[in-house]
Amino acid sequence: MIYQHIKGLLQQALDVELIAIADQTYVRNQVLALLHLKSYPETMEHHTEESIPNLLEKIIAYAVENSVIENVFDDKEILSASIMDCFIPRPSTINEIFQAKYAISPGEATNYFYELSKNSNYIQMNRINKNIQFKASTIYGEMDITINMSKPEKDPEQIKRERELKHDITYPKCLLCIENEGYVGRTGYPARANHRLIQIPLLDEIWYMQYSPYVYYNEHSILLAEKHRDMKIGKETFERLLAFIEKFPHYFIGSNADLPIVGGSILSHDHYQAGKYEFPMTNPETAFTFTLEKFSNIHASVLNWPLSTIRLQSDNKELLVEVADYILTAWKNYSDEHAQIQAFSGDTPHNTITPIARMRENKFELDLVLRNNRTNEEHPLGIFHPHADVHHIKKENIGLIEVMGLAVLPARLEEELAEIQNFLLDQPCTVPPYHEEWANQLKAKYGKQSDLEQVDSILKKELGDKFAKVLGDAGVFKEQSEYERFIQTLN
C-alpha cells in the first residue's frame, strides 16, 4: 500500500498544481529516499484517491510501522513536513510567482499563496477541521466562538524527550523568525521544512508574510519583521498597517498590544496579523461620534463594543497616521482614578493600544482599542483582563483575535460542556468544580431540560454571553462619561 499512497500523493500534487508532470520522477525519488525505499514498482493497478493530509497520515503510519522513524510526535511532524518540502518550489520561485500574480491583482497573489500553504500541508486542515466553531448572539451582536481542538496532544515519549533535553539551542530565536523557513525541526521545536515566506516591502524595511499553520479565520496570515526585535506600538506601526492595506485592500491587518497581560503570546518579535475575514467588530453600531478640534477633518467615533474602541476614517493616509499617533501619545500618559486607569507605576507603563486597519469604501479606517495592563489585589491577573468569574471559560490574554470578537477557547471545554449538558438534562454527569456555580445558575434560569438540541442552543448562547463579559472586563471605559473625559483631554 505504501507505493499506492505515494502514487496517490503525487497525483494529488499534480491535480492542485503543486508540481508539474516533468517533476514527478524527481519528487518521487526524494520521497522514496526519506522513507528508506530503494525501488518503485513499474506498474500499479490503482492508487488511493484521498486528500493530501490523509495520504500523509497513512505514509507516516507506514514509516512508524517499518521503523523508519520512532512513534514520537516530533519525528512524525519532521518527516511529514520534509515529505511535503519535496513538492514545493524554493522561496525565490514562490516569491516570483507571487509578484507576477500581484501584478494582475493582490487577491490573485494571496489566493495563490494561501492555496499553496494548504496544499503543502503547512496549514494543517485536518487538524483545523476538528475545531468547534459557531456564532452566538450577544448584546453586542453575533460573536464568533471557537473551541480550539487543532493543537495536537503530545505523546508520553515526546514529553519525556523534551524533559531530558540538556542543550540550549537558540536557533531560530523564536517561532516567528525568518530562519524558520525550511527549518527541519527538532525535539521540542516544530518542523518547518515546508514553510515559505513572501517578502513584503513596508516603509524602508522588508517584512515577511506567512499564513498561520492553525488558521482561526479565512486567510489568517502573519506579517513579521525581518529583525528579531520586541513588539512596539508607535507611529511606525500605524504607517506600516496603512501601507499594508494600501497594497492589499482586500485584507484587514492589526497588531497585538505591546505590553504583558494585554499583549499576545509572542511579544519578543514584532509582527502583525492579517486576513480576509469580516469579524464581529467590523460592523458594530456606533455609540457616538465626536470631533477632534486639532483634526476636524477626520471622522472619529466610539464603537458600541465591549472593548473601548475609537474608530478613525479618512482618505488621507498621512493625516490618519498623525491623528492615531496623537491619540496614542495622549493615551500612554492618561490617568483617570475614577476609572481605575493609571498610566505608570514608577517608570513602568500601563497604557497601550491594539490597532486594526482596513479599507472601507476607498477610505482608510483605523480602530484604536485602548488597553491597560495594571493589576491590583482584587484582580491580580489584570484589572482590565478577564475577571475571576469568567476564568472557568477564559483566563488567557485577550489578544487581537479576541479583541475583534472571535473567541479562542481551550480544548478542555468540549468535554466539560458535555458534562454540563448532562447536568441540565438530569443525566449522570461530573461537572468540574470551577463550572458548578455556572451550571447551577443555568439550571435555575432555564429549569430542567429534556431536549438535547435545546440544551446545546442554550449553552452556545450562554457561552457567547460569557465571552462578551470577558471582553467587557478588558474594556477600560465602562461609561460614556469616561470616554468623554479622555476626549476632553485630547481636545
Side-chain angles (χ1 to χ4, degrees):
M1 289 299 292
I2 183 58
Y3 296 110
Q4 293 175 358
H5 296 328
I6 293 170
K7 186 174 181 180
L9 188 61
L10 287 163
Q11 186 59 52
Q12 289 292 339
L14 282 168
D15 291 346
V16 298
E17 299 181 354
L18 270 182
I19 60 172
I21 292 174
D23 299 323
Q24 282 187 97
T25 301
Y26 170 82
V27 172
R28 182 179 66 207
N29 285 335
Q30 295 295 303
V31 173
L32 291 176
L34 288 170
L35 295 172
H36 301 174
L37 295 168
K38 305 298 182 185
S39 63
Y40 190 78
E42 290 185 17
T43 59
M44 207 176 302
E45 290 184 7
H46 67 279
H47 62 266
T48 50
E49 295 183 359
E50 294 197 55
S51 67
I52 287 173
N54 287 347
L55 288 165
L56 263 180
E57 287 178 8
K58 293 183 176 182
I59 291 170
I60 298 306
Y62 163 86
V64 170
E65 290 167 10
N66 291 272
S67 302
V68 177
I69 57 172
E70 291 186 49
N71 188 17
V72 179
F73 174 79
D74 274 342
D75 286 5
K76 292 185 282 188
E77 293 286 285
I78 287 168
L79 180 58
S80 177
S82 296
I83 287 171
M84 291 314 301
D85 185 42
C86 301
F87 292 83
I88 316 172
R90 291 192 175 186
S92 59
T93 302
I94 290 174
N95 274 269
E96 286 172 9
I97 296 170
F98 185 91
Q99 293 302 331
K101 291 184 179 295
Y102 184 88
I104 300 169
S105 83
E108 189 162 332
T110 54
N111 185 61
Y112 156 73
F113 189 44
Y114 190 52
E115 292 304 312
L116 175 75
S117 299
K118 288 190 292 185
N119 292 332
S120 66
N121 205 49
Y122 179 73
I123 298 176
Q124 303 205 24
M125 294 306 298
N126 271 14
R127 291 178 184 169
I128 291 159
N129 289 336
K130 295 176 183 177
N131 287 342
I132 299 166
Q133 297 176 313
F134 57 91
K135 293 185 181 293
S137 178
T138 75
I139 59 172
Y140 300 101
E142 281 193 333
M143 295 286 185
D144 291 333
I145 308 296
T146 297
I147 297 177
N148 182 17
M149 307 299 296
S150 59
K151 188 174 182 180
E153 292 187 15
K154 295 179 180 180
D155 51 69
E157 182 58 33
Q158 170 72 28
I159 295 168
K160 179 184 174 185
R161 276 193 186 185
E162 290 186 20
R163 285 176 179 166
E164 291 174 350
L165 277 176
K166 303 295 183 189
H167 53 267
D168 183 20
I169 301 174
T170 57
Y171 179 90
K173 290 186 178 73
C174 78
L175 293 171
L176 294 180
C177 282
I178 60 172
E179 288 78 14
N180 285 281
E181 187 174 37
Y183 188 69
V184 172
R186 61 179 187 267
T187 297
Y189 197 93
R192 291 290 183 260
N194 57 339
H195 175 40
R196 298 294 186 269
L197 296 166
I198 298 294
Q199 294 184 9
I200 306 288
L202 288 180
L203 306 185
D204 56 349
E205 294 181 326
I206 296 294
W207 282 59
Y208 292 81
M209 187 174 79
Q210 67 173 71
Y211 288 103
S212 170
Y214 299 107
V215 292
Y216 289 122
Y217 53 85
N218 187 47
E219 300 185 39
H220 179 184
S221 44
I222 299 169
L223 201 70
L224 52 101
E226 184 172 40
K227 296 178 181 177
H228 180 78
R229 64 184 184 218
D230 289 347
M231 291 276 294
K232 183 182 179 183
I233 302 297
K235 185 176 182 179
E236 285 189 336
T237 306
F238 306 129
E239 291 175 331
R240 292 191 197 103
L241 298 185
L242 296 179
F244 179 85
I245 60 168
E246 193 170 35
K247 291 176 183 287
F248 300 95
H250 61 301
Y251 271 15
F252 83 90
I253 187 169
S255 175
N256 276 309
D258 56 351
L259 294 179
I261 297 176
V262 296
S265 57
I266 300 178
L267 296 180
S268 61
H269 197 117
D270 208 0
H271 71 284
Y272 312 130
Q273 295 182 74
K276 189 180 179 182
Y277 187 70
E278 193 168 279
F279 284 88
M281 187 192 195
T282 308
N283 297 303
E285 294 180 358
T286 298
F288 62 93
T289 60
F290 64 95
T291 300
L292 288 167
E293 293 175 4
K294 293 184 179 180
F295 309 97
S296 57
N297 50 348
I298 285 279
H299 184 270
S301 61
V302 167
L303 302 185
N304 181 27
W305 190 245
L307 287 114
S308 309
T309 307
I310 294 173
R311 175 165 288 178
L312 305 173
Q313 294 169 315
S314 177
D315 54 11
N316 186 325
K317 182 176 64 171
E318 289 72 24
L319 178 60
L320 198 57
V321 168
E322 188 179 347
V323 177
D325 185 50
Y326 176 78
I327 293 174
L328 173 64
T329 302
W331 173 244
K332 280 185 174 181
N333 295 282
Y334 182 76
S335 296
D336 182 346
E337 62 179 73
H338 297 292
Q340 293 189 287
I341 296 166
Q342 188 175 309
F344 292 92
S345 294
D347 294 329
T348 303
H350 294 305
N351 289 350
T352 186
I353 277 176
T354 299
I356 301 135
R358 64 184 73 83
M359 295 295 294
R360 192 189 296 270
E361 298 176 354
N362 296 318
K363 288 189 175 183
F364 295 96
E365 184 171 274
L366 259 180
D367 288 344
L368 305 180
V369 186
L370 309 179
R371 312 296 301 274
N372 177 287
N373 77 342
R374 196 164 71 86
T375 63
N376 61 13
E377 287 186 14
E378 184 184 1
H379 302 294
L381 297 183
I383 298 170
F384 304 104
H385 178 84
H387 291 172
D389 63 325
V390 294
H391 284 177
H392 65 110
I393 298 296
K394 178 75 172 176
K395 190 177 182 179
E396 299 79 12
N397 290 7
I398 301 305
L400 174 67
I401 295 172
E402 285 93 357
V403 163
M404 294 186 290
L406 194 163
V408 182
L409 303 178
R412 62 177 171 80
L413 285 176
E414 181 190 31
E415 292 183 1
E416 294 170 0
L417 291 173
E419 296 295 337
I420 296 173
Q421 274 187 342
N422 291 336
F423 175 75
L424 296 177
L425 291 165
D426 272 354
Q427 294 179 0
C429 62
T430 306
V431 176
Y434 45 83
H435 285 310
E436 285 178 356
E437 183 179 356
W438 186 46
N440 287 324
Q441 289 170 351
L442 295 180
K443 182 167 277 191
K445 182 176 179 179
Y446 294 100
K448 179 184 174 182
Q449 298 291 312
S450 58
D451 183 80
L452 181 60
E453 286 189 13
Q454 178 64 20
V455 171
D456 183 62
S457 178
I458 287 171
L459 283 178
K460 286 179 177 177
K461 170 69 172 69
E462 293 291 333
L463 208 57
D465 288 342
K466 278 283 183 180
F467 180 56
K469 170 66 166 58
V470 162
L471 297 187
D473 287 347
V476 295
F477 296 143
K478 313 300 186 188
E479 307 289 342
Q480 182 167 329
S481 59
E482 296 173 354
Y483 276 108
E484 289 170 347
R485 288 199 294 273
F486 178 59
I487 293 167
Q488 187 176 0
T489 301
L490 293 175
N491 286 330

